[in-house]
């Protein structure tokens, strides 16, 4: 039998898979706290400058008028030093970028489980370095290293939630990871409200990672990855283990042995194949821009929460909670034949751009329902939906043997958006509407470009590059790429 038939036998989403996915999904809460840490520990309170007593040299001292403990108050990151707060945020996203590029292909090569456990362990270690950093320089380097590990966890964690279950549950498990991340943002806002000292906040936020690491130690390797690597015996062993834990033992479970020889040649599949393979090349270019735009708008709006009017802790929580309605909408639309993955993602990106466009024509805070803050929250809701679909959709567009490499490259583009995001809110200095102009154009352009992608709803999962090349379904970019290759081969033959 093939893999999908095997999952029908062992259970597509049985009790054991539910527990395993729950551990992976809840790990997103920890990841969200690390991603949003700089928003609160880097808070800049109100301050003014006063001349130093008895100093005739004209030097001034900084006097903070708000009772806030942050890296800004500890290391006086104001005036010419204020850029260091945004720099620390960008270093985290730079780490995410390199983590995606390195750990994504590595997990395709050596396995999902060892990479996941290793990077989670080191993220916890570097998280404590952040909390006890004796200087800004150590703090900044630790944020880079935490981001590096976070990038690896994000990819492998998401892929495992997909590969432990039957394909019909991919949209649901993918959406659950996004929901958990949003809840994590909201919980971090609440945590920051009750824990004001920034070092204590960093310690508490990081300690949940210890729990999730211990819960993850007994997770098995992905049976889909094992099968794609030709390790059919090990894949059967994992599937039998899952069946047993589901209360549905299946001793006669046997996978197609032909897959071993067929997939052996795919073991070398890596990032290079994304550019060599005609189908993957075109898809990757489009997906990279979509992920970049999603990240720029998503994190740009989120990181700007502390600069919005009102209580900064409430704002952070609201920017997390506002995502939650997006995910039921995702599940509904992406499983409808008249919408599917492609049209839904394009529509949500367009609506996010529209919300950001409208933001430029209303006052910052009028106290009414229609205000710049409420429209920004609406934009966050829409781009959250698009971002969630991008994760699910991208995992379906890439074969198993190269799925993490594909997600890694797309996430690399995504992190470029994340690196730029902390600086976009500061563009208000040029013009108050400049940040939302950037978000608006990014959302609209990505939405239009994503319409070039093929639809994957109700299509079988692809495991190998050969299956992708031999797929005769009429798909937008794929059909054009293959026609081009066929024409080139015919001309060479002549």
């Amino acid at each position: 039998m093939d893999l999908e038939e095997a999952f029908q036998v062992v259970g597509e989403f049985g009790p054991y898979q539910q527990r395993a996915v729950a551990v992976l999904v809840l790990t997103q809460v920890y990841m969200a706290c690390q991603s949003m840490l700089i928003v609160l520990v880097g808070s800049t309170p109100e301050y003014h400058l006063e001349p130093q007593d008895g100093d005739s040299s004209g030097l001034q001292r900084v006097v903070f008028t708000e009772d806030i403990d942050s890296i800004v108050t500890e290391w006086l990151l104001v005036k010419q030093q204020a850029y260091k707060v945004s720099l620390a945020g960008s270093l985290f996203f730079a780490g995410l970028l390199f983590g995606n590029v390195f750990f994504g292909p590595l997990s395709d090569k050596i396995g999902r489980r060892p990479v996941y456990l290793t990077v989670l362990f080191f993220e916890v270690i570097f998280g404590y370095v952040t909390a006890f950093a004796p200087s800004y320089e150590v703090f900044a380097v630790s944020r880079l290293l935490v981001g590096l590990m976070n990038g690896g966890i994000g990819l492998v964690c998401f892929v495992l939630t997909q590969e432990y279950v039957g394909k019909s549950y991919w949209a649901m498990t993918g959406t659950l990871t996004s929901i958990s991340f949003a809840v994590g943002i909201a919980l971090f806002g609440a945590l920051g409200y009750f824990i004001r000292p920034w070092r204590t906040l960093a310690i508490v936020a990081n300690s949940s990672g210890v729990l999730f690491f211990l819960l993850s130690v007994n997770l098995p390797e992905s049976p889909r990855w094992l099968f794609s690597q030709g390790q059919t015996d090990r894949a059967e062993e994992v599937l039998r283990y899952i069946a047993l834990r589901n209360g549905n033992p299946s001793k006669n479970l046997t996978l197609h042995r032909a897959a071993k020889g067929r997939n052996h040649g795919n073991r070398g599949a890596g990032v290079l194949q994304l550019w060599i393979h005609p189908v993957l090349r075109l898809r990757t270019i489009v997906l990279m821009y979509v992920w970049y735009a999603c990240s720029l708008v998503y994190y740009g709006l989120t990181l700007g929460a502390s600069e919005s009017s009102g209580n900064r802790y409430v704002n952070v929580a609201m920017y997390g909670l506002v995502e939650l309605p997006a995910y039921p909408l995702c599940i509904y639309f992406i499983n409808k034949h008249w919408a599917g993955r492609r049209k839904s993602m394009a529509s949500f990106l367009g609506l996010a751009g529209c919300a950001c466009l409208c933001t430029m024509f209303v006052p910052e805070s009028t106290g009414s329902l229609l205000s710049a803050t409420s429209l920004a929250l609406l934009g966050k809701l829409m781009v959250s939906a698009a971002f969630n679909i991008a994760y699910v959709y991208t995992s379906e567009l890439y074969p198993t043997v190269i799925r993490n490499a594909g997600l890694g490259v797309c996430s690399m583009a995504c992190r470029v958006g994340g690196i730029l995001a902390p600086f976009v809110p500061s563009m208000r200095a040029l013009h108050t509407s400049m940040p939302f102009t950037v978000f608006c154009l990014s959302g609209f352009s990505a939405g239009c470009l994503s319409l070039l992608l093929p639809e994957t709803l109700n299509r079988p999962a692809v495991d190998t590059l050969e299956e992708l090349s031999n797929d005769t379904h009429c798909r937008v970019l794929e059909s054009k790429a293959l026609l081009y290759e066929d024409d080139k081969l015919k001309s060479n033959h002549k």
Side-chain angles (χ1 to χ4, degrees):
M1 63 180 72
D2 61 25
L3 267 177
E4 295 308 322
E5 291 173 338
F7 273 105
Q8 293 287 340
V9 173
V10 305
E12 287 193 284
F13 196 49
Y16 176 74
Q17 289 145 302
Q18 292 170 18
R19 292 192 295 271
V21 168
V23 171
L24 296 167
V25 164
L26 289 174
T27 304
Q28 299 290 322
V29 173
Y30 169 67
M31 292 175 59
C33 290
Q34 289 294 353
S35 298
M36 295 296 109
L37 189 71
I38 195 63
V39 176
L40 294 185
V41 305
S43 297
T44 302
E46 295 291 332
Y47 68 92
H48 63 268
L49 302 177
E50 292 182 354
Q52 295 190 16
D53 296 334
D55 192 333
S56 59
S57 62
L59 292 176
Q60 295 179 310
R61 64 189 181 95
V62 179
V63 178
F64 293 102
T65 57
E66 284 186 83
D67 185 20
I68 290 178
D69 178 49
S70 68
I71 63 172
V72 175
T73 60
E74 181 166 337
W75 294 314
L76 298 180
L77 304 181
V78 296
K79 292 293 185 179
Q80 290 86 355
Q81 301 296 312
Y83 76 92
K84 290 184 177 180
V85 178
S86 296
L87 178 61
S90 290
L91 284 173
F92 176 84
F93 287 103
L96 286 179
L97 187 156
F98 292 111
N100 295 152
V101 173
F102 179 73
F103 291 115
L106 184 64
S107 66
D108 281 333
K109 196 170 190 178
I110 69 172
R112 318 306 198 202
R113 183 177 180 275
V115 172
Y116 172 71
L117 291 176
T118 302
V119 295
L120 180 54
F121 174 80
F122 280 105
E123 179 165 358
V124 173
I125 297 298
F126 294 136
Y128 284 121
V129 174
T130 293
F132 295 103
S135 65
Y136 169 80
E137 288 71 23
V138 174
F139 176 86
V141 172
S142 71
R143 296 314 295 159
L144 175 67
L145 295 173
V146 168
L148 185 70
M149 300 301 127
N150 200 286
I153 295 174
L155 276 179
V156 184
C157 184
F158 176 80
V159 169
L160 279 174
T161 62
Q162 306 272 286
E163 296 186 350
Y164 279 159
V165 302
K167 188 176 183 297
S168 61
Y169 286 90
W170 281 14
M172 186 191 72
T173 57
T175 300
L176 285 174
T177 59
S178 298
I179 291 175
S180 185
F181 193 90
V183 170
I185 294 175
L187 288 176
F188 180 67
L191 200 63
Y193 178 80
F194 292 106
I195 305 175
R196 298 300 175 91
W198 78 265
R199 290 185 184 275
T200 307
L201 176 61
I203 291 171
V204 174
N206 189 62
S207 296
S208 62
V210 178
L211 172 64
F212 295 125
F213 175 79
L214 294 175
L215 291 173
S216 301
V217 168
N218 292 323
L219 292 177
E221 182 56 89
S222 161
R224 292 182 184 275
W225 179 82
L226 291 170
F227 183 72
S228 71
Q229 297 298 299
Q231 301 181 43
T232 315
D233 292 335
R234 287 188 61 197
E236 290 174 347
E237 184 180 338
V238 172
L239 287 169
R240 291 191 188 105
Y241 175 75
I242 293 174
L244 182 64
R245 297 297 297 272
N246 282 342
N248 182 28
S250 179
K251 298 180 180 179
N252 298 323
L253 191 149
T254 305
L255 298 173
H256 290 309
R257 255 40 190 185
K260 185 171 184 177
R262 180 190 65 192
N263 293 330
H264 184 75
N266 285 322
R267 290 190 182 186
V271 176
L272 191 60
Q273 283 292 337
L274 298 175
W275 308 107
I276 294 175
H277 198 285
V279 176
L280 295 177
R281 180 171 59 245
L282 293 171
R283 289 185 185 179
T284 301
I285 291 170
V286 174
L287 286 169
M288 284 179 70
Y289 183 74
V290 169
W291 279 61
Y292 159 79
C294 284
S295 178
L296 181 69
V297 179
Y298 180 92
Y299 287 109
L301 291 173
T302 306
L303 295 175
S306 61
E307 297 184 14
S308 302
S309 58
N311 186 294
R312 60 172 52 89
Y313 304 103
V314 174
N315 286 342
V316 171
M318 283 300 298
Y319 272 79
L321 292 175
V322 76
E323 296 183 36
L324 298 182
Y327 302 121
L329 289 174
C330 285
I331 295 175
Y332 177 78
F333 283 110
I334 66 177
N335 288 314
K336 296 296 181 181
H337 70 277
W338 45 267
R341 277 67 160 151
R342 181 179 57 145
K343 292 179 183 177
S344 296
M345 187 172 73
S347 298
F348 281 121
L349 281 168
L351 289 171
C354 186
C356 291
L357 176 65
C358 294
T359 303
M360 295 184 279
F361 301 104
V362 296
E364 175 64 29
S365 182
T366 61
S368 63
L369 184 62
L370 185 63
S371 65
T373 302
S374 62
L375 286 170
L377 287 169
L378 179 62
K380 175 71 188 300
L381 186 152
M382 294 301 167
V383 78
S384 299
F387 213 163
N388 178 62
I389 296 171
Y391 267 95
V392 176
Y393 192 23
T394 302
S395 68
E396 294 179 345
L397 285 169
Y398 286 110
T400 301
V401 293
I402 205 169
R403 184 167 294 129
N404 255 350
L407 281 166
V409 170
C410 291
S411 292
M412 178 185 71
C414 166
R415 302 319 167 191
V416 172
I419 292 169
L420 298 176
F423 293 99
V424 175
S426 63
M427 294 175 70
R428 289 175 182 270
L430 300 175
H431 192 278
T432 55
S433 65
M434 186 61 70
F436 290 104
T437 301
V438 173
F439 298 148
C440 170
L441 293 176
S442 299
F444 276 131
S445 57
C448 292
L449 197 59
S450 65
L451 290 173
L452 295 173
L453 293 169
E455 182 55 68
T456 58
L457 178 63
N458 298 326
R459 295 284 171 81
V462 178
D463 292 316
T464 69
L465 296 178
E466 286 81 0
E467 288 179 19
L468 183 67
S469 299
N470 295 330
D471 194 343
T472 58
H473 288 296
C474 181
R475 301 186 182 185
V476 182
L477 282 182
E478 178 171 339
S479 60
K480 290 181 180 179
L482 293 179
L483 283 173
Y484 171 75
E485 292 296 318
D486 290 341
D487 292 340
K488 190 164 69 171
L489 288 172
K490 288 177 182 178
S491 63
N492 291 338
H493 180 70
K494 290 179 180 178

